[in-house]
Amino acid sequence: MEKILITGASGFIGSFVVEEALRRGLEVWAALRKTSSRAFLGDERIHTVELRLDDEKQMEEALLSVEPDYVVHCAGVTKSLRREDFFRVNTEGTRHLVRALQRLPHQPRRLVYLSSLSIFGPIREEQPYAEICESDRPQPNTAYGKSKLQAEQFLDAECRIPYVVLRPTGVYGPRERDYFLMAKSIKAHSDFAVGYRRQDITFVYVKDVVQAVFLALERGENGRKYFLSDGEVYQSAAFSQLIRRELGNPWCLRITAPIWVLRLVSWGGEAIGHLTGKISALNNDKYHIMRQRNWRCDITPAMNELGFKPEYQLERGVKETIRWYKENGWL
């Protein structure tokens, strides 16, 4: 039986990758930290291994007991009080993992790395907006995007294992917590938008990301990088409107604030976060993400080369997501 190692297996995307790997009959190894939740890893067929991304030697020793055929690297920091944590985990953690894997007697056949559209930052924002393409030069303006880009650059420079990089746009679905906050706010009769200039937004449902992961494992060419979205472009209110509908159309006050207001709020959120030790939903990285106007991306290479076919448009994905939030007591 072929073995697959999934880092970040307890997280949002990673837990769905685990489920699909089990469905395909693979021997699944979930890489976890001591403090990782097992809430979505209850299947008794799952093997677990502790990996400390800041300790290359520990990882090498732990991986000797696994020697995976395939690796899906989902682990990463998406928000943090400290800027350096993004680079410590997303960049250095990737370096440590790959170097540990490369020293194993049995080399993995392929590595899939979950990166992000955020590595490109605010480009092609002259109207009409054009799709971000792989030939564009990344200009990340968030610590998260910069740390992911540096991880990609390391793979290009040093990775000897055949690897494929996936760059999803905004990923949503059951178990996801950031978009959940939007649903929670709408249920409480308020919605928040930023900026008066047109904003083109893209989304991809978590199960479509998982589809792309296994296509990349099967067919991806070494070093290729693919954008992932559902192939559609939405305006800023589309997601909110669909959430409202699935919640039974509660009355809702939609507030659109100028960019400078978001700047002040995000500064305040950062300051409060450092004082309380709790990460604010509105922080410096979130400011740059919400300020960006163009999130279009070209998924043609993923469709042509991998056979990627998004199965979830936003309407279907939101319906399934809100149903899960309700059934699991989140809403």
Side-chain angles (χ1 to χ4, degrees), residues 60-98:
E60 183 180 356
E61 292 173 354
L63 290 169
L64 281 169
S65 65
V66 182
E67 292 199 320
D69 298 293
Y70 304 103
V71 178
V72 181
H73 184 28
C74 300
V77 169
T78 58
K79 49 183 172 290
S80 175
L81 288 173
R82 299 184 302 174
R83 187 177 185 275
E84 57 268 26
D85 286 345
F86 292 103
F87 299 91
R88 179 180 57 82
V89 177
N90 297 344
T91 307
E92 295 302 319
T94 301
R95 285 194 180 108
H96 295 320
L97 174 65
V98 169

Side-chain angles (χ1 to χ4, degrees), residues 281-296:
L282 287 173
N283 50 51
N284 191 54
D285 265 21
K286 191 69 172 179
Y287 163 74
H288 289 294
I289 289 169
M290 294 181 72
R291 181 182 181 183
Q292 187 166 324
R293 298 289 98 180
N294 180 29
W295 291 95
R296 291 171 174 259

Side-chain angles (χ1 to χ4, degrees), residues 24 68 70 84 161-162 181 212-213 250 253 257 286 314:
R24 290 170 178 251
Y70 304 103
E84 57 268 26
I161 300 166
L181 293 176
V213 165
L253 177 63
K286 191 69 172 179
L314 194 59

Side-chain angles (χ1 to χ4, degrees), residues 132-184:
I132 299 169
C133 303
E134 59 183 318
S135 59
D136 287 323
R137 185 172 67 86
Q139 302 175 45
N141 60 352
T142 62
Y144 172 72
K146 290 173 183 176
S147 67
K148 285 288 190 178
L149 177 59
Q150 288 184 18
E152 285 194 21
Q153 291 168 338
F154 164 77
L155 292 174
D156 292 339
E158 291 191 34
C159 186
R160 300 190 302 273
I161 300 166
Y163 70 93
V164 178
V165 174
L166 300 178
R167 296 163 166 172
T169 183
V171 186
Y172 71 102
R175 308 173 191 168
E176 198 279 331
R177 294 188 177 277
D178 286 344
Y179 289 116
F180 162 68
L181 293 176
M182 182 187 298
K184 188 177 178 182

Side-chain angles (χ1 to χ4, degrees), residues 116-118 121 129-132 167-172 179 182 198-206 209 227-239 289 292-299 308 310 312-314 318:
S116 172
L117 179 59
S118 290
Y129 301 140
E131 290 180 336
I132 299 169
R167 296 163 166 172
T169 183
V171 186
Y172 71 102
Y179 289 116
M182 182 187 298
R198 171 179 157 181
Q199 185 178 42
D200 286 359
I201 304 177
T202 52
F203 297 95
V204 61
Y205 192 63
V206 63
V209 174
F227 297 111
L228 301 178
S229 79
D230 68 7
E232 301 294 331
V233 178
Y234 304 92
Q235 298 308 302
S236 59
F239 200 85
I289 289 169
Q292 187 166 324
R293 298 289 98 180
N294 180 29
W295 291 95
R296 291 171 174 259
C297 59
D298 180 14
I299 66 169
F308 175 61
Y312 285 82
Q313 301 303 305
L314 194 59
V318 169

Side-chain angles (χ1 to χ4, degrees), residues 13-30:
I13 298 175
S15 62
F16 278 95
V17 176
V18 166
E19 290 177 359
E20 179 62 15
L22 290 171
R23 191 188 70 79
R24 290 170 178 251
L26 297 169
E27 182 179 313
V28 176
W29 285 82

Side-chain angles (χ1 to χ4, degrees), residues 265-284:
V265 171
S266 63
W267 276 334
E270 287 263 329
I272 293 170
H274 285 291
L275 288 173
T276 63
K278 296 181 180 179
I279 302 170
S280 170
L282 287 173
N283 50 51
N284 191 54

